[in-house]
Amino acid sequence: LGVVLKMTTASQQVWDTVSKDSSANFDLRRAGERIADELRQSSTDHIVIEDTSIDADTVTFQIPVGKAQDVILWGAEGNSGWFLQFVVEDGRLLRRVCDGSMAVAAMDQALVTHLDANLGGQKGFWITLDGGMVHIGIRAAVTSGGETWRKEARTSVLVRNN
């Protein structure tokens, strides 16, 4: 009975590890796709990357929300002058909507939890702009039973409105 219990426990631990690994891959990939989809609509003139934190970047941007007399109106969530942000707080990568004064205008959406901090000089969330191409990287870390698992996802997107 002791041998069967140990095998069952070990099998469950392996399954839990595989399950966590698959879930982490999916969440990171989905978060990267969400960020890329929104940034794709923007323009390099309307993207600001704050890279002063050692652990994560912040990106603030606007997308087209309408047109007035053949002039594109830039904003977020259908509101001219508003902003979207992807920001890290308390180990969570958040999608944030801000009004024109940068006050939070809607409830934050957590895209990734357990975001990793700086590791070997690489941030847990980084974003760079190279011409019209935006490069995005996200790394999460989970510690369980004394082991730390790290997963990383990277993607790039060409902004549409340059």
Side-chain angles (χ1 to χ4, degrees):
L1 183 63
V3 172
V4 172
L5 181 60
K6 278 191 173 210
M7 286 177 55
T8 303
T9 303
S11 295
Q12 184 62 44
Q13 288 173 338
V14 168
W15 172 253
D16 288 347
T17 299
V18 169
S19 176
K20 286 178 189 174
D21 190 47
S22 297
S23 178
N25 282 337
F26 178 73
D27 289 345
L28 291 177
R29 190 174 64 247
R30 187 173 54 188
E33 288 170 0
R34 172 82 184 266
I35 295 167
D37 286 346
E38 294 204 81
L39 281 168
R40 180 179 291 114
Q41 301 172 56
S42 192
S43 159
T44 53
D45 293 339
H46 294 274
I47 298 173
V48 176
I49 299 169
E50 241 180 85
D51 62 356
T52 55
S53 167
I54 193 168
D55 291 326
D57 292 339
T58 296
V59 60
T60 304
F61 63 102
Q62 294 177 310
I63 59 175
V65 294
K67 224 174 182 183
Q69 300 166 354
D70 292 329
V71 174
I72 296 174
L73 301 176
W74 294 88
E77 302 292 307
N79 297 292
S80 181
W82 282 26
F83 297 88
L84 291 171
Q85 277 190 329
F86 290 103
V87 60
V88 175
E89 287 183 0
D90 300 323
R92 299 178 311 142
L93 177 57
L94 305 173
R95 178 189 185 268
R96 178 170 287 164
V97 178
C98 299
D99 66 17
S101 67
M102 295 308 293
V104 176
M107 193 164 93
D108 290 342
Q109 294 175 326
L111 302 180
V112 175
T113 57
H114 307 291
L115 199 74
D116 202 9
N118 189 309
L119 177 68
Q122 184 64 61
K123 299 176 181 188
F125 172 61
W126 64 98
I127 190 161
T128 58
L129 191 57
D130 180 14
M133 186 70 71
V134 181
H135 305 283
I136 304 157
I138 307 167
R139 187 181 60 249
V142 176
T143 302
S144 176
E147 298 280 338
T148 300
W149 289 274
R150 286 186 171 83
K151 287 293 169 189
E152 184 176 295
R154 294 176 185 224
T155 191
S156 297
V157 63
L158 184 63
V159 295
R160 182 181 311 170
N161 294 297
N162 261 348

